[in-house]
Amino acid sequence: MQGACKRRVLLADRDVTYMHKMKKCLEKNKNMEVIAMEKDGESALYRAEQEKPDIILMDVLLAEKDGIWVLQTMRERKLDIACIIISAIGKDAIVRETMELGAMYYMAKPVQSSILMERIAQILYEEEKGKQELQMRLQSQSNLSYQKDRKEEMKSDISRLLNKMGIVASIKGYHFIRKGIMMAVENEDIVLCMTKGLYPDIAREYDTTPAKVERAIRHAIESSWKRKGKEIFSEFAGYCPLEKPTNGQFIAALSEYFRMLYKKEEKKLA
């Protein structure tokens, strides 16, 4: 942990002498810093709320409010700070109650410094691990959200282009073409196996047959070519076909356009 940020510790014990010994023991580790030592529960709680230490080492017996009150109040106020109880009281009921209230460990006085440091290290390691896992989950959710938004944006862009070409939602092949383009953007090789790959995949999603998918796409392209589809296709595909393109050629050309378009946008955002 060389060079790492110091771990901040709050001590709470009515025995001031014991706290000073504990402070000296803890700060032998250069990565530990005792930020406060409090004798009573209310002061300990106030310090915890104000300072937000990494860990609290606390006795059950405190002046005024005791350690159990501190744990109860921390829970009520949703103050999520790891706590180790260090006490000479060893009654099972007390131990059980403190653990139920959120204490990580209950250690008997006098505690061995090596064991205490080991317990602190375990707690801080688990907390750091938890933070990293949470960060990874949040990043994963963010990535999924971005991918979902990107797909919806692409879907809208494809729809607008198809409408310009005269392929509107009322034409049966409209949805099949749009789906095929999106599939080919994700996997450009799918257009190499239209009959065994793309048509069956679309058919399953729309509860129809591959043959009907193929015919509907072909019909939609034919209808487009009779209007202004040829000119618009040439503009976006980058070449002017002498004949009406096949289903595979049509989907491959438009999917390549959208793949390149979105790669450029991603580079701008990077």
Side-chain angles (χ1 to χ4, degrees), residues 5-13 16 18-38 47 51-58 86 116-117 120:
C5 294
K6 286 190 176 184
R7 297 300 191 169
R8 303 165 71 250
V9 184
L10 169 63
L11 300 180
D13 197 308
V16 178
Y18 186 82
M19 281 196 291
H20 279 287
K21 288 180 179 178
M22 185 72 70
K23 181 178 187 294
K24 189 176 180 180
C25 170
L26 292 169
E27 292 187 343
K28 285 180 181 178
N29 184 323
K30 293 181 180 180
N31 294 310
M32 291 281 182
E33 177 187 10
V34 175
I35 59 166
M37 297 185 292
E38 299 297 340
R47 284 287 194 154
E51 303 289 346
K52 300 293 190 300
D54 295 300
I55 194 164
I56 299 172
L57 305 182
M58 179 171 64
I86 303 173
L116 176 61
M117 296 304 292
I120 292 173

XYZ file of all heavy atoms in Angstrom, residues 5-13 16 18-38 47 51-58 86 116-117 120:
364
model
N -3.506 6.420 -0.207
C -4.105 7.394 0.700
C -4.233 6.775 2.088
O -4.505 5.588 2.222
C -5.481 7.791 0.174
S -5.404 8.676 -1.380
N -4.064 7.615 3.097
C -4.164 7.104 4.461
C -5.606 6.732 4.797
O -6.539 7.415 4.415
C -3.658 8.160 5.452
C -2.143 8.321 5.457
C -1.690 9.187 6.612
C -0.159 9.255 6.659
N 0.315 10.017 7.832
N -5.736 5.635 5.543
C -7.039 5.198 6.017
C -7.348 5.913 7.323
O -6.548 5.892 8.254
C -7.038 3.673 6.230
C -6.818 2.894 4.951
C -7.903 3.190 3.940
N -7.849 2.277 2.819
C -8.788 2.172 1.899
N -9.845 2.954 1.961
N -8.673 1.315 0.911
N -8.510 6.530 7.387
C -8.858 7.393 8.511
C -9.676 6.606 9.547
O -10.701 6.008 9.222
C -9.623 8.601 7.993
C -8.794 9.357 6.949
C -9.591 10.339 6.116
N -9.991 11.491 6.908
C -11.234 11.752 7.284
N -12.217 10.918 6.948
N -11.511 12.825 7.994
N -9.228 6.649 10.787
C -9.828 5.840 11.854
C -10.375 6.746 12.963
O -9.716 7.712 13.367
C -8.786 4.871 12.465
C -9.450 3.962 13.505
C -8.121 4.042 11.364
N -11.566 6.409 13.435
C -12.161 7.091 14.589
C -12.154 6.127 15.773
O -12.616 4.985 15.644
C -13.601 7.507 14.272
C -14.452 8.005 15.442
C -13.872 9.277 16.054
C -15.900 8.241 14.996
N -11.633 6.578 16.918
C -11.620 5.768 18.140
C -12.677 6.292 19.106
O -12.814 7.507 19.271
C -10.249 5.829 18.814
C -9.046 5.338 17.994
C -7.763 5.478 18.820
C -9.236 3.908 17.527
N -13.402 5.374 19.733
C -14.409 5.763 20.723
C -14.304 4.817 21.919
O -14.589 3.619 21.800
C -15.815 5.703 20.104
N -13.884 5.365 23.059
C -13.683 4.556 24.269
C -13.626 5.507 25.463
O -13.013 6.571 25.375
C -12.375 3.761 24.151
C -12.281 2.610 25.147
O -12.482 2.857 26.357
O -12.005 1.491 24.699
N -9.373 6.885 28.082
C -8.520 7.736 27.244
C -7.117 7.160 27.093
O -6.517 7.208 26.015
C -8.445 9.159 27.839
C -7.511 10.038 27.003
C -9.833 9.788 27.903
N -6.260 4.057 27.087
C -6.322 2.946 26.128
C -6.375 3.481 24.694
O -5.729 2.939 23.795
C -7.548 2.077 26.417
C -7.617 0.829 25.575
C -6.898 -0.309 25.918
C -8.381 0.792 24.405
C -6.942 -1.447 25.128
C -8.426 -0.342 23.610
C -7.706 -1.467 23.978
O -7.738 -2.586 23.203
N -7.136 4.555 24.490
C -7.226 5.120 23.147
C -5.874 5.630 22.662
O -5.522 5.463 21.489
C -8.262 6.256 23.102
C -9.703 5.759 23.029
S -10.860 7.054 22.510
C -10.835 8.130 23.945
N -5.103 6.242 23.542
C -3.789 6.740 23.149
C -2.860 5.581 22.779
O -2.065 5.689 21.824
C -3.181 7.580 24.276
C -3.692 8.988 24.306
N -3.325 9.932 23.391
C -4.578 9.599 25.157
C -3.938 11.076 23.653
N -4.707 10.903 24.726
N -2.958 4.483 23.522
C -2.162 3.298 23.182
C -2.583 2.752 21.813
O -1.746 2.355 20.998
C -2.343 2.218 24.250
C -1.667 2.537 25.576
C -1.902 1.406 26.566
C -1.217 1.697 27.908
N -1.471 0.622 28.902
N -3.899 2.728 21.603
C -4.432 2.240 20.331
C -3.973 3.131 19.177
O -3.589 2.649 18.107
C -5.965 2.203 20.392
C -6.627 1.612 19.169
S -6.413 -0.171 19.050
C -7.460 -0.696 20.404
N -4.012 4.431 19.398
C -3.577 5.390 18.361
C -2.120 5.150 17.991
O -1.752 5.108 16.808
C -3.767 6.820 18.866
C -3.370 7.905 17.872
C -3.648 9.277 18.471
C -3.433 10.392 17.452
N -2.038 10.524 17.042
N -1.292 4.990 19.003
C 0.134 4.758 18.769
C 0.359 3.470 17.988
O 1.184 3.412 17.072
C 0.855 4.694 20.115
C 2.374 4.660 20.014
C 3.013 4.708 21.396
C 4.535 4.675 21.302
N 5.172 4.710 22.644
N -0.411 2.449 18.353
C -0.300 1.153 17.676
C -0.716 1.262 16.212
O -0.022 0.786 15.320
C -1.176 0.127 18.410
S -1.353 -1.432 17.524
N -1.848 1.920 15.965
C -2.381 2.024 14.606
C -1.460 2.842 13.705
O -1.235 2.495 12.542
C -3.769 2.653 14.626
C -4.893 1.824 15.256
C -6.140 2.663 15.444
C -5.205 0.596 14.403
N -0.929 3.936 14.246
C -0.151 4.843 13.411
C 1.277 4.391 13.183
O 2.047 5.071 12.506
C -0.216 6.253 13.999
C -1.626 6.831 13.866
C -1.739 8.279 14.281
O -0.827 8.778 14.976
O -2.742 8.916 13.914
N 1.625 3.215 13.709
C 2.888 2.581 13.306
C 2.796 2.208 11.823
O 3.808 2.119 11.142
C 3.161 1.338 14.151
C 3.638 1.649 15.564
C 3.895 0.368 16.337
C 4.348 0.667 17.770
N 4.540 -0.593 18.542
N 1.554 1.959 11.410
C 1.303 1.729 9.987
C 1.153 3.102 9.333
O 0.239 3.859 9.646
C 0.015 0.910 9.816
C -0.256 0.546 8.368
O 0.007 1.330 7.469
N -0.791 -0.641 8.149
N 2.044 3.445 8.423
C 2.065 4.786 7.836
C 0.820 5.088 7.005
O 0.575 6.248 6.645
C 3.318 4.957 6.976
C 4.602 4.954 7.793
C 5.816 5.154 6.916
C 7.098 5.147 7.760
N 8.310 5.330 6.935
N 0.045 4.055 6.709
C -1.169 4.254 5.928
C -2.405 4.421 6.811
O -3.521 4.462 6.307
C -1.391 3.082 4.958
C -0.305 3.026 3.906
O -0.001 4.035 3.278
N 0.297 1.868 3.742
N -2.210 4.498 8.125
C -3.305 4.684 9.073
C -3.195 6.052 9.737
O -2.103 6.494 10.086
C -3.274 3.604 10.160
C -3.615 2.214 9.666
S -5.394 2.016 9.478
C -5.435 0.300 8.969
N -4.343 6.695 9.939
C -4.378 7.982 10.623
C -5.587 8.019 11.558
O -6.721 7.827 11.113
C -4.490 9.114 9.613
C -4.596 10.475 10.256
C -4.874 11.583 9.251
O -5.169 11.265 8.080
O -4.822 12.758 9.653
N -5.354 8.242 12.827
C -6.450 8.396 13.786
C -6.894 9.852 13.731
O -6.142 10.766 14.086
C -6.012 8.015 15.210
C -7.132 8.307 16.212
C -5.630 6.534 15.263
N -8.119 10.079 13.280
C -8.590 11.453 13.067
C -9.270 12.035 14.297
O -9.410 13.246 14.415
C -9.558 11.519 11.862
C -10.763 10.593 12.088
C -8.834 11.171 10.573
C -11.891 10.834 11.136
N -9.728 11.155 15.227
C -10.395 11.664 16.432
C -10.473 10.562 17.479
O -10.505 9.365 17.147
C -11.799 12.163 16.094
N -10.517 10.987 18.765
C -10.708 10.076 19.888
C -11.803 10.669 20.775
O -11.661 11.785 21.269
C -9.399 9.902 20.672
C -8.284 9.260 19.863
S -6.792 8.919 20.858
C -6.229 10.591 21.202
N -12.885 9.916 20.946
C -14.031 10.435 21.702
C -14.389 9.492 22.848
O -14.329 8.268 22.702
C -15.240 10.603 20.777
C -15.022 11.577 19.619
C -14.767 12.998 20.079
O -15.128 13.326 21.237
O -14.211 13.789 19.290
N -18.726 13.064 15.324
C -17.469 12.980 14.576
C -17.609 12.081 13.349
O -17.087 12.364 12.273
C -16.357 12.453 15.478
C -15.821 13.467 16.450
C -14.965 14.500 15.755
N -14.196 15.274 16.708
C -13.050 15.861 16.435
N -12.545 15.766 15.232
N -12.419 16.565 17.352
N -16.794 13.672 9.885
C -15.492 13.300 9.321
C -15.555 12.157 8.314
O -14.651 12.001 7.493
C -14.521 12.916 10.450
C -14.303 14.000 11.496
C -13.492 15.158 10.966
O -12.883 15.012 9.888
O -13.470 16.221 11.617
N -16.611 11.334 8.400
C -16.758 10.166 7.520
C -15.471 9.318 7.479
O -14.822 9.174 6.429
C -17.108 10.601 6.097
C -18.398 11.389 5.965
C -19.598 10.536 6.273
C -20.910 11.226 5.913
N -21.146 12.485 6.625
N -15.074 8.762 8.633
C -13.854 7.932 8.658
C -14.041 6.651 7.861
O -15.179 6.261 7.542
C -13.687 7.631 10.146
C -15.068 7.687 10.700
C -15.768 8.776 9.937
N -12.937 5.996 7.550
C -13.025 4.710 6.847
C -13.495 3.605 7.791
O -14.135 2.644 7.347
C -11.654 4.333 6.266
C -11.222 5.312 5.181
O -11.936 5.431 4.179
O -10.184 5.974 5.360
N -13.147 3.737 9.067
C -13.507 2.693 10.030
C -13.591 3.293 11.433
O -12.901 4.265 11.751
C -12.476 1.532 9.973
C -13.001 0.308 10.707
C -11.118 1.962 10.508
C -12.243 -0.963 10.366
N -14.476 2.702 12.257
C -14.616 3.119 13.658
C -14.229 1.948 14.549
O -14.705 0.823 14.345
C -16.066 3.525 13.973
C -16.503 4.719 13.096
C -16.231 3.877 15.454
C -17.986 5.048 13.207
N -13.353 2.201 15.529
C -13.025 1.215 16.559
C -13.658 1.721 17.846
O -13.293 2.783 18.348
C -11.509 1.074 16.719
C -10.715 0.745 15.442
C -9.238 0.587 15.775
C -11.245 -0.502 14.766
N -14.605 0.962 18.411
C -15.430 1.498 19.488
C -15.703 0.458 20.563
O -15.925 -0.720 20.275
C -16.771 1.981 18.886
C -17.766 2.545 19.885
S -19.184 3.314 19.034
C -19.919 1.878 18.206
N -14.513 -3.207 20.228
C -13.431 -3.740 21.066
C -13.825 -3.494 22.516
O -13.883 -2.346 22.967
C -12.091 -3.043 20.757
C -11.754 -3.192 19.261
C -10.973 -3.623 21.606
C -10.542 -2.395 18.829
N -5.852 -7.274 15.208
C -6.664 -6.095 14.903
C -6.328 -5.544 13.519
O -7.226 -5.240 12.722
C -6.436 -5.015 15.959
C -7.146 -3.670 15.714
C -8.655 -3.855 15.672
C -6.752 -2.658 16.774
N -5.053 -5.428 13.214
C -4.642 -4.898 11.914
C -5.105 -5.812 10.779
O -5.462 -5.352 9.701
C -3.123 -4.729 11.868
C -2.574 -3.702 12.852
S -3.310 -2.052 12.663
C -2.656 -1.573 11.072
N -8.839 -5.118 10.299
C -9.022 -3.841 9.609
C -8.707 -3.992 8.124
O -9.446 -3.511 7.257
C -8.129 -2.749 10.243
C -8.620 -2.415 11.660
C -8.128 -1.480 9.381
C -7.707 -1.465 12.417
